[in-house]
Coordinates of all heavy atoms in Angstrom, one line a residue:
M229 N 14.3 -28.7 2.7 CA 13.8 -27.3 2.8 C 13.2 -26.9 1.4 O 13.8 -27.1 0.4 CB 15.0 -26.4 3.2 CG 14.6 -25.0 3.4 SD 15.9 -24.0 4.1 CE 15.6 -22.5 3.4
D230 N 12.1 -26.2 1.5 CA 11.5 -25.7 0.3 C 12.2 -24.5 -0.3 O 12.9 -23.8 0.4 CB 10.0 -25.2 0.6 CG 9.2 -26.4 1.0 OD1 9.4 -27.5 0.5 OD2 8.2 -26.2 1.8
T231 N 12.1 -24.3 -1.5 CA 12.7 -23.1 -2.2 C 11.8 -21.9 -2.0 O 10.6 -22.1 -1.8 CB 13.0 -23.4 -3.7 OG1 11.7 -23.6 -4.3 CG2 13.9 -24.5 -3.9
I232 N 12.4 -20.7 -2.1 CA 11.6 -19.5 -2.0 C 11.2 -19.1 -3.4 O 12.0 -19.0 -4.3 CB 12.4 -18.4 -1.3 CG1 12.8 -18.9 0.1 CG2 11.6 -17.1 -1.3 CD1 13.7 -17.9 0.8
D233 N 9.9 -18.8 -3.6 CA 9.4 -18.4 -4.9 C 9.5 -16.8 -5.1 O 9.7 -16.3 -6.1 CB 7.9 -18.8 -5.1 CG 7.8 -20.3 -5.1 OD1 8.7 -21.0 -5.7 OD2 6.9 -20.9 -4.5
V234 N 9.1 -16.1 -4.0 CA 9.0 -14.6 -4.0 C 9.7 -14.1 -2.8 O 9.5 -14.6 -1.7 CB 7.5 -14.2 -4.1 CG1 7.5 -12.6 -4.0 CG2 6.8 -14.7 -5.3
V235 N 10.5 -13.0 -3.0 CA 11.1 -12.3 -1.8 C 10.6 -10.9 -1.9 O 10.8 -10.3 -2.9 CB 12.7 -12.3 -1.9 CG1 13.2 -11.5 -0.7 CG2 13.2 -13.8 -1.7
V236 N 10.0 -10.4 -0.8 CA 9.6 -9.0 -0.7 C 10.5 -8.3 0.2 O 10.6 -8.7 1.4 CB 8.1 -8.9 -0.3 CG1 7.7 -7.4 -0.1 CG2 7.2 -9.6 -1.2
V237 N 11.1 -7.2 -0.2 CA 12.0 -6.4 0.6 C 11.2 -5.3 1.2 O 10.8 -4.4 0.5 CB 13.3 -5.9 -0.1 CG1 14.2 -5.2 0.7 CG2 14.0 -7.1 -0.7
G238 N 11.0 -5.3 2.5 CA 10.4 -4.2 3.2 C 9.0 -4.7 3.7 O 8.2 -5.2 2.9
A239 N 8.7 -4.5 5.0 CA 7.5 -5.0 5.5 C 6.7 -3.7 6.0 O 6.0 -3.7 7.0 CB 7.7 -5.9 6.7
G240 N 6.6 -2.7 5.2 CA 5.7 -1.5 5.3 C 4.4 -1.9 4.7 O 4.1 -3.0 4.4
V241 N 3.6 -0.8 4.6 CA 2.2 -1.0 4.0 C 2.3 -1.7 2.7 O 1.6 -2.7 2.4 CB 1.5 0.3 3.9 CG1 0.2 0.2 3.2 CG2 1.3 0.9 5.3
V242 N 3.1 -1.2 1.7 CA 3.2 -1.7 0.4 C 3.7 -3.1 0.4 O 3.2 -4.0 -0.3 CB 3.9 -0.8 -0.5 CG1 4.1 -1.4 -1.9 CG2 3.2 0.6 -0.7
G243 N 4.8 -3.3 1.1 CA 5.5 -4.6 1.1 C 4.6 -5.7 1.6 O 4.5 -6.8 1.1
C244 N 3.8 -5.4 2.8 CA 2.9 -6.3 3.3 C 1.8 -6.7 2.4 O 1.3 -7.8 2.3 CB 2.4 -5.9 4.6 SG 3.6 -6.0 6.0
A245 N 1.3 -5.6 1.7 CA 0.2 -5.8 0.7 C 0.6 -6.7 -0.4 O -0.1 -7.6 -0.9 CB -0.3 -4.5 0.2
I246 N 1.8 -6.4 -0.9 CA 2.4 -7.3 -2.0 C 2.5 -8.7 -1.6 O 2.1 -9.7 -2.3 CB 3.7 -6.7 -2.5 CG1 3.4 -5.4 -3.3 CG2 4.4 -7.7 -3.5 CD1 4.6 -4.6 -3.6
A247 N 3.1 -8.9 -0.4 CA 3.4 -10.2 0.1 C 2.0 -11.0 0.3 O 1.9 -12.1 -0.1 CB 4.1 -10.2 1.4
E248 N 1.0 -10.3 0.9 CA -0.3 -10.9 1.0 C -0.9 -11.4 -0.3 O -1.4 -12.5 -0.4 CB -1.2 -10.0 1.8 CG -2.5 -10.6 2.2 CD -3.6 -10.7 1.0 OE1 -3.6 -9.8 0.2 OE2 -4.4 -11.6 1.1
R249 N -0.7 -10.5 -1.3 CA -1.3 -10.9 -2.6 C -0.6 -12.0 -3.2 O -1.2 -12.9 -3.9 CB -1.2 -9.6 -3.5 CG -1.7 -9.8 -4.9 CD -3.2 -10.2 -4.9 NE -3.7 -10.5 -6.2 CZ -3.7 -11.7 -6.8 NH1 -3.3 -12.7 -6.2 NH2 -4.2 -11.8 -8.0
M250 N 0.7 -12.1 -3.0 CA 1.5 -13.2 -3.6 C 1.2 -14.5 -3.0 O 1.4 -15.6 -3.6 CB 3.0 -12.9 -3.4 CG 3.6 -11.7 -4.3 SD 3.5 -12.1 -6.0 CE 2.2 -11.1 -6.6
T251 N 0.7 -14.5 -1.7 CA 0.4 -15.8 -1.0 C -0.9 -16.4 -1.5 O -1.3 -17.5 -1.2 CB 0.3 -15.6 0.5 OG1 -0.7 -14.6 0.8 CG2 1.6 -15.1 1.0
R252 N -1.6 -15.6 -2.3 CA -3.0 -16.2 -2.8 C -2.8 -17.3 -3.8 O -3.7 -18.0 -4.2 CB -3.8 -15.0 -3.4 CG -4.2 -14.0 -2.3 CD -5.1 -13.0 -3.0 NE -5.3 -11.9 -2.1 CZ -6.0 -10.8 -2.4 NH1 -6.5 -10.7 -3.6 NH2 -6.2 -9.9 -1.4
T253 N -1.6 -17.4 -4.4 CA -1.3 -18.5 -5.3 C -1.0 -19.8 -4.4 O 0.0 -19.8 -3.7 CB -0.1 -18.2 -6.2 OG1 -0.5 -17.1 -7.0 CG2 0.2 -19.4 -7.2
P254 N -1.8 -20.8 -4.5 CA -1.5 -22.0 -3.7 C -0.1 -22.6 -3.9 O 0.3 -22.7 -5.0 CB -2.6 -23.0 -4.2 CG -3.7 -22.2 -4.8 CD -3.0 -21.0 -5.4
G255 N 0.6 -22.9 -2.8 CA 1.8 -23.5 -2.9 C 3.0 -22.5 -3.1 O 4.2 -22.9 -3.0
R256 N 2.8 -21.3 -3.3 CA 3.8 -20.3 -3.5 C 4.4 -19.9 -2.1 O 3.7 -19.7 -1.1 CB 3.3 -19.0 -4.1 CG 4.4 -18.0 -4.3 CD 3.9 -16.7 -5.0 NE 3.7 -16.9 -6.4 CZ 2.9 -16.2 -7.2 NH1 2.2 -15.2 -6.7 NH2 2.8 -16.4 -8.4
I257 N 5.7 -19.9 -2.0 CA 6.4 -19.6 -0.8 C 6.9 -18.2 -0.9 O 7.7 -17.8 -1.8 CB 7.6 -20.5 -0.6 CG1 7.1 -21.9 -0.4 CG2 8.4 -20.2 0.7 CD1 8.1 -23.0 -0.4
V258 N 6.4 -17.3 0.0 CA 6.7 -15.9 0.1 C 7.6 -15.6 1.3 O 7.2 -16.0 2.4 CB 5.5 -15.0 0.0 CG1 5.8 -13.6 0.1 CG2 4.7 -15.3 -1.2
T259 N 8.7 -14.9 1.2 CA 9.5 -14.5 2.3 C 9.6 -13.0 2.3 O 9.8 -12.3 1.2 CB 11.0 -15.1 2.1 OG1 10.8 -16.5 2.1 CG2 11.8 -14.6 3.3
V260 N 9.4 -12.3 3.4 CA 9.5 -10.9 3.6 C 10.7 -10.5 4.4 O 10.9 -11.1 5.5 CB 8.2 -10.3 4.2 CG1 8.3 -8.8 4.4 CG2 7.0 -10.6 3.4
I261 N 11.5 -9.7 3.9 CA 12.7 -9.3 4.6 C 12.5 -7.8 5.1 O 12.2 -6.9 4.4 CB 14.0 -9.3 3.7 CG1 14.2 -10.7 3.2 CG2 15.2 -8.8 4.4 CD1 15.2 -10.8 2.1
E262 N 12.7 -7.6 6.4 CA 12.5 -6.3 7.0 C 13.7 -5.9 7.9 O 14.2 -6.8 8.6 CB 11.2 -6.3 7.8 CG 11.0 -5.0 8.7 CD 11.0 -3.7 7.9 OE1 10.3 -3.7 6.8 OE2 11.6 -2.8 8.3
R263 N 14.2 -4.7 7.8 CA 15.4 -4.3 8.6 C 15.0 -3.9 10.1 O 15.8 -3.9 10.9 CB 16.1 -3.2 7.9 CG 15.4 -1.9 7.9 CD 16.1 -0.8 7.2 NE 15.3 0.3 7.0 CZ 15.7 1.6 6.9 NH1 17.1 1.8 7.1 NH2 14.9 2.6 6.8
R264 N 13.8 -3.6 10.3 CA 13.3 -3.2 11.6 C 12.9 -4.4 12.4 O 12.8 -5.5 11.9 CB 12.2 -2.2 11.5 CG 12.4 -0.9 10.8 CD 13.3 0.1 11.5 NE 12.8 0.5 12.8 CZ 12.1 1.5 13.0 NH1 11.7 2.4 12.0 NH2 11.6 1.8 14.2
E265 N 12.6 -4.2 13.7 CA 12.3 -5.3 14.6 C 10.9 -5.8 14.5 O 10.5 -6.9 15.0 CB 12.6 -4.9 16.1 CG 11.8 -3.7 16.6 CD 12.4 -2.4 16.2 OE1 13.4 -2.3 15.5 OE2 11.9 -1.4 16.7
A266 N 10.0 -5.1 13.8 CA 8.6 -5.6 13.6 C 8.2 -4.9 12.2 O 8.8 -4.0 11.6 CB 7.8 -5.0 14.7
I267 N 7.0 -5.5 11.8 CA 6.4 -5.0 10.5 C 5.7 -3.6 10.7 O 5.3 -3.3 11.8 CB 5.5 -6.0 9.9 CG1 4.2 -6.2 10.8 CG2 6.2 -7.2 9.6 CD1 3.2 -7.0 10.0
G268 N 5.6 -2.8 9.7 CA 4.8 -1.6 9.7 C 5.3 -0.5 10.5 O 4.5 0.4 10.9
L269 N 6.6 -0.5 10.8 CA 7.1 0.6 11.6 C 7.6 1.8 10.8 O 7.9 2.9 11.4 CB 8.3 0.1 12.5 CG 8.0 -1.0 13.5 CD1 9.3 -1.4 14.2 CD2 7.0 -0.5 14.5
E270 N 7.6 1.7 9.5 CA 8.0 2.9 8.7 C 7.0 3.0 7.5 O 6.4 2.0 7.1 CB 9.4 2.6 8.1 CG 10.5 2.8 9.1 CD 11.9 2.6 8.5 OE1 12.1 3.0 7.4 OE2 12.8 2.2 9.2
A271 N 7.0 4.2 6.9 CA 6.3 4.4 5.7 C 7.2 5.3 4.9 O 7.7 6.3 5.4 CB 5.0 5.1 6.0
S272 N 7.3 5.0 3.6 CA 8.0 5.9 2.7 C 7.3 7.2 2.6 O 6.1 7.3 2.8 CB 8.2 5.2 1.4 OG 7.0 5.2 0.7
R273 N 8.0 8.2 2.1 CA 7.3 9.5 1.9 C 6.2 9.4 0.9 O 5.3 10.2 0.8 CB 8.3 10.6 1.6 CG 9.1 10.3 0.3 CD 10.2 11.4 0.2 NE 11.1 11.0 -0.9 CZ 11.0 11.6 -2.1 NH1 10.2 12.6 -2.3 NH2 11.8 11.3 -3.0
R274 N 6.3 8.4 0.0 CA 5.3 8.3 -1.1 C 4.1 7.5 -0.6 O 3.0 7.5 -1.1 CB 5.9 7.5 -2.2 CG 7.0 8.3 -2.9 CD 6.4 9.4 -3.8 NE 7.4 10.0 -4.5 CZ 7.4 11.2 -5.0 NH1 6.4 11.9 -4.8 NH2 8.4 11.7 -5.7
N275 N 4.2 6.7 0.5 CA 3.2 5.9 1.0 C 2.9 6.2 2.5 O 3.0 5.3 3.3 CB 3.5 4.4 0.8 CG 3.7 4.1 -0.6 OD1 2.8 4.3 -1.4 ND2 4.8 3.6 -1.0
S276 N 2.6 7.4 2.8 CA 2.5 7.8 4.3 C 1.1 7.5 4.8 O 0.9 7.7 6.1 CB 2.8 9.3 4.4 OG 1.9 10.1 3.7
G277 N 0.1 7.1 4.0 CA -1.2 6.8 4.5 C -2.1 8.0 4.7 O -3.1 7.9 5.3
V278 N -1.6 9.1 4.2 CA -2.5 10.3 4.3 C -3.7 10.2 3.3 O -3.5 9.8 2.2 CB -1.7 11.6 3.9 CG1 -2.5 12.8 3.9 CG2 -0.5 11.8 4.9
I279 N -4.8 10.5 3.8 CA -6.0 10.5 2.9 C -6.2 11.9 2.5 O -6.5 12.8 3.3 CB -7.3 10.0 3.7 CG1 -7.0 8.5 4.2 CG2 -8.5 10.1 2.8 CD1 -8.1 8.0 5.1
H280 N -6.0 12.2 1.2 CA -6.2 13.5 0.7 C -7.7 13.7 0.3 O -8.2 13.0 -0.4 CB -5.3 13.7 -0.6 CG -3.8 13.6 -0.2 ND1 -3.1 14.6 0.3 CD2 -3.0 12.6 -0.3 CE1 -1.9 14.3 0.6 NE2 -1.8 13.0 0.2
T281 N -8.3 14.8 0.8 CA -9.6 15.1 0.6 C -9.9 16.0 -0.5 O -11.1 16.1 -1.0 CB -10.2 15.7 1.9 OG1 -9.6 16.9 2.2 CG2 -10.1 14.8 3.1
G282 N -8.9 16.7 -1.1 CA -9.1 17.5 -2.2 C -9.7 18.9 -1.8 O -10.1 19.6 -2.7
L283 N -9.7 19.2 -0.5 CA -10.2 20.5 -0.1 C -9.5 21.7 -0.6 O -10.1 22.7 -0.8 CB -10.2 20.5 1.5 CG -11.1 19.5 2.2 CD1 -10.9 19.7 3.7 CD2 -12.5 19.8 1.8
H284 N -8.2 21.6 -0.9 CA -7.4 22.7 -1.5 C -7.6 22.9 -2.9 O -7.0 23.8 -3.5 CB -6.0 22.5 -1.0 CG -5.4 21.4 -1.6 ND1 -5.7 20.1 -1.3 CD2 -4.4 21.2 -2.6 CE1 -4.9 19.2 -2.0 NE2 -4.2 19.9 -2.9
L285 N -8.3 22.0 -3.6 CA -8.3 22.0 -5.1 C -9.6 22.6 -5.5 O -10.6 22.7 -4.8 CB -8.3 20.5 -5.6 CG -7.1 19.7 -5.2 CD1 -7.3 18.3 -5.5 CD2 -5.8 20.2 -5.9
R286 N -9.7 23.0 -6.8 CA -10.9 23.6 -7.4 C -11.9 22.4 -7.4 O -11.7 21.3 -7.9 CB -10.6 24.0 -8.8 CG -11.7 24.7 -9.5 CD -11.3 25.3 -10.9 NE -10.4 24.4 -11.6 CZ -10.7 23.6 -12.6 NH1 -12.0 23.7 -13.1 NH2 -9.9 22.8 -13.2
P287 N -13.0 22.7 -6.8 CA -14.1 21.6 -6.6 C -14.5 20.8 -7.8 O -14.8 19.7 -7.7 CB -15.2 22.3 -6.0 CG -14.7 23.6 -5.4 CD -13.5 23.9 -6.2
T288 N -14.4 21.5 -9.0 CA -14.9 20.8 -10.2 C -13.7 20.0 -10.9 O -14.1 19.4 -11.9 CB -15.6 21.8 -11.1 OG1 -14.6 22.8 -11.4 CG2 -16.8 22.3 -10.5
S289 N -12.5 20.1 -10.4 CA -11.5 19.5 -11.2 C -11.5 17.9 -10.9 O -12.0 17.4 -10.0 CB -10.1 20.0 -10.7 OG -9.8 19.5 -9.3
W290 N -11.0 17.2 -11.9 CA -10.9 15.8 -11.8 C -10.1 15.3 -10.6 O -10.6 14.4 -9.9 CB -10.3 15.1 -13.1 CG -11.2 14.8 -14.2 CD1 -11.4 15.5 -15.3 CD2 -12.2 13.8 -14.2 NE1 -12.5 15.0 -16.0 CE2 -13.0 14.0 -15.4 CE3 -12.6 12.7 -13.3 CZ2 -14.0 13.1 -15.7 CZ3 -13.6 11.9 -13.6 CH2 -14.2 12.1 -14.8
K291 N -9.1 16.0 -10.3 CA -8.2 15.6 -9.1 C -9.0 15.7 -7.8 O -8.9 14.9 -7.0 CB -7.0 16.5 -9.1 CG -5.9 16.0 -8.1 CD -4.7 16.8 -8.3 CE -3.6 16.3 -7.3 NZ -2.3 17.0 -7.5
A292 N -9.8 16.8 -7.7 CA -10.6 17.0 -6.5 C -11.7 15.9 -6.4 O -11.9 15.3 -5.3 CB -11.2 18.3 -6.5
K293 N -12.3 15.6 -7.5 CA -13.4 14.6 -7.5 C -12.8 13.2 -7.1 O -13.4 12.5 -6.4 CB -14.1 14.5 -8.9 CG -14.9 15.8 -9.2 CD -15.4 15.7 -10.6 CE -16.2 17.0 -10.9 NZ -16.7 17.0 -12.3
L294 N -11.7 12.9 -7.8 CA -11.1 11.6 -7.5 C -10.5 11.5 -6.0 O -10.7 10.5 -5.4 CB -9.9 11.3 -8.4 CG -10.4 11.1 -9.9 CD1 -9.1 11.0 -10.8 CD2 -11.3 9.8 -10.0
A295 N -10.0 12.6 -5.5 CA -9.5 12.7 -4.1 C -10.7 12.5 -3.2 O -10.6 11.7 -2.2 CB -8.8 14.0 -3.9
R296 N -11.8 13.1 -3.4 CA -13.0 12.9 -2.5 C -13.5 11.5 -2.6 O -13.9 11.0 -1.6 CB -14.1 14.0 -2.9 CG -13.7 15.4 -2.4 CD -14.9 16.3 -2.5 NE -15.5 16.4 -3.9 CZ -15.1 17.2 -4.8 NH1 -14.1 18.1 -4.6 NH2 -15.7 17.2 -6.0
A297 N -13.6 11.0 -3.8 CA -14.1 9.6 -4.0 C -13.1 8.6 -3.3 O -13.7 7.7 -2.6 CB -14.2 9.3 -5.5
G298 N -11.9 8.8 -3.4 CA -10.9 7.9 -2.7 C -11.0 8.0 -1.3 O -10.9 7.0 -0.5
A299 N -11.2 9.2 -0.7 CA -11.3 9.5 0.7 C -12.6 8.7 1.3 O -12.5 8.1 2.3 CB -11.4 10.9 1.1
V300 N -13.7 8.8 0.5 CA -14.9 8.1 0.9 C -14.7 6.7 1.0 O -15.1 6.0 2.0 CB -16.1 8.5 0.0 CG1 -17.3 7.6 0.3 CG2 -16.4 10.0 0.2
Q301 N -14.0 6.1 0.0 CA -13.7 4.6 -0.1 C -12.8 4.2 1.1 O -13.0 3.2 1.7 CB -13.2 4.2 -1.4 CG -14.2 4.3 -2.5 CD -13.5 3.9 -3.9 OE1 -12.4 3.5 -4.0 NE2 -14.4 4.0 -4.9
A302 N -11.8 5.0 1.3 CA -10.8 4.7 2.3 C -11.5 4.7 3.8 O -11.2 3.8 4.6 CB -9.7 5.6 2.3
L303 N -12.4 5.6 3.9 CA -13.1 5.7 5.2 C -14.1 4.6 5.5 O -14.4 4.3 6.5 CB -13.7 7.1 5.4 CG -12.6 8.3 5.5 CD1 -13.4 9.6 5.5 CD2 -11.7 8.1 6.7
A304 N -14.6 4.1 4.3 CA -15.6 3.0 4.4 C -14.9 1.7 4.7 O -15.6 0.7 5.1 CB -16.3 2.9 3.1
W305 N -13.6 1.6 4.6 CA -12.9 0.3 4.9 C -13.1 0.1 6.3 O -13.0 -0.8 7.0 CB -11.4 0.5 4.5 CG -11.1 -0.3 3.3 CD1 -11.8 -0.7 2.3 CD2 -9.8 -0.8 3.1 NE1 -11.2 -1.3 1.4 CE2 -9.9 -1.5 1.8 CE3 -8.6 -0.7 3.7 CZ2 -8.8 -2.1 1.2 CZ3 -7.5 -1.3 3.1 CH2 -7.6 -2.0 1.9

């Protein structure tokens, strides 16, 4: 049996993204541990997948500009 190089705890959005990135190294063995019956069934309150448009912010603020730019990029995916 091969040894495990990386263990990712949680198969939510972030856990799956980390696991996918870790598999890009040839020969690396990645194991994902999830408490639910399938992947992607939960999201932490910090990673809920909400796209913030910045509509409630002062339009010229950096936060509003970055929020709008991020929303455009996310929708282009």
Side-chain angles (χ1 to χ4, degrees):
M229 183 172 152
D230 293 327
T231 61
I232 298 171
D233 297 318
V234 177
V235 175
V236 177
V237 178
V241 174
V242 174
C244 287
I246 291 170
E248 188 278 328
R249 179 61 182 94
M250 292 291 105
T251 62
R252 293 182 189 179
T253 299
R256 179 180 283 160
I257 298 171
V258 179
T259 299
V260 179
I261 300 171
E262 172 56 46
R263 68 182 170 150
R264 300 287 302 269
E265 60 276 7
I267 65 170
L269 294 179
E270 290 185 29
S272 72
R273 62 188 170 102
R274 297 280 186 205
N275 298 302
S276 63
V278 174
I279 299 172
H280 296 280
T281 59
L283 294 176
H284 66 289
L285 302 169
R286 187 173 39 105
T288 56
S289 71
W290 272 104
K291 190 171 182 179
K293 291 175 184 177
L294 293 173
R296 286 192 304 271
V300 168
Q301 289 178 4
L303 295 173
W305 251 28

